[in-house]
Amino acid sequence: MTMGAQSPRERPGRFITFEGVEGSGKSTQLAALGRALAERGVSVVTTREPGGTPIGEAVRQLVLDPRFTGMSSRAELLLYGASRAEHVEHVILPALESGAIVLCDRFSEATVAYQAYGRGLPIDEVEAVIALATGGLRPDAVLLLDLPVDEGLRRVGRRALTNRLDLEPTGFHQRVRDGYLALAAREPNRIRLFDAGRPVEEVQRAILAMVEPLCQRVPTRSAR
Ligand code: TMP
């Protein structure tokens, strides 16, 4: 598959992902940004990983099921990869080719943070699965909502549902956070850091200010 390797310049849409440790508020921020862009007439597709397609959502049920505590790290990596391959081919690339802004709750940076930094899988294995699943598609911008792990887990504790990864010890989540911060330090222009400890509305405004210029050359619904 070479389609995913198409450069952003050749693709009419924009691909923006949200990342962060558990409880960082990325889903809330994604929904708010989606509404704000839609109000401005931008064609927006919101989606998530694992998930975003019927097969992806079935994989999500499986990979996050708290009963499967003993799942091998490589099986876990491949399940996230399977969900992503389906998602890229059937949802993300078609949306980008139609000129939409795709807002996705987690993508490849999550696999590096969780499966390489968190689980300790070799980075070359993780990158190989990512390359296979995405065909080289990378987000134009990654919005990293950063929060101390204890604060994030405290917020997650208030949620009714827990997923299998929420149940990991604090040390695992700390490695995930460190992994995300290392990725952001390596690519500060593409991976943008936001302090998720600040009030929700403030984070929302900062995200919109960062994203609006990216959407400037994307056709609005009325113009298409
Ligand atoms: P969330 O959508 O509630 O954040 O849950 C998804 C969980 O899956 C979260 O614990 C992070 C984890 N995850 C990975 O470990 N690797 C991945 O590649 C992705 C997309 C998510």
Side-chain angles (χ1 to χ4, degrees), residues 32-84:
L33 179 64
R35 282 193 301 273
L37 293 178
E39 276 166 18
R40 286 159 176 73
V42 175
S43 170
V44 186
V45 171
T46 59
T47 187
R48 68 173 179 181
E49 286 210 359
T53 64
I55 290 174
E57 292 295 329
V59 171
R60 182 181 179 93
Q61 292 289 321
L62 181 67
V63 77
L64 298 182
D65 190 328
R67 287 175 306 165
F68 300 141
T69 46
M71 184 182 293
S72 96
S73 296
R74 286 191 171 87
E76 183 181 276
L77 169 67
L78 291 166
L79 285 172
Y80 284 114
S83 170
R84 184 161 309 139

Side-chain angles (χ1 to χ4, degrees), residues 22 26-27 48-50 60 64 76 80 84 105-108 110-111 114-115 159 163 165-166:
E22 317 294 327
K26 62 189 168 41
S27 310
R48 68 173 179 181
E49 286 210 359
R60 182 181 179 93
L64 298 182
E76 183 181 276
Y80 284 114
R84 184 161 309 139
D105 195 336
R106 296 197 190 278
F107 197 68
S108 300
T111 317
Y114 281 81
Q115 278 64 55
R159 294 206 296 239
N163 76 44
L165 282 91
D166 287 347

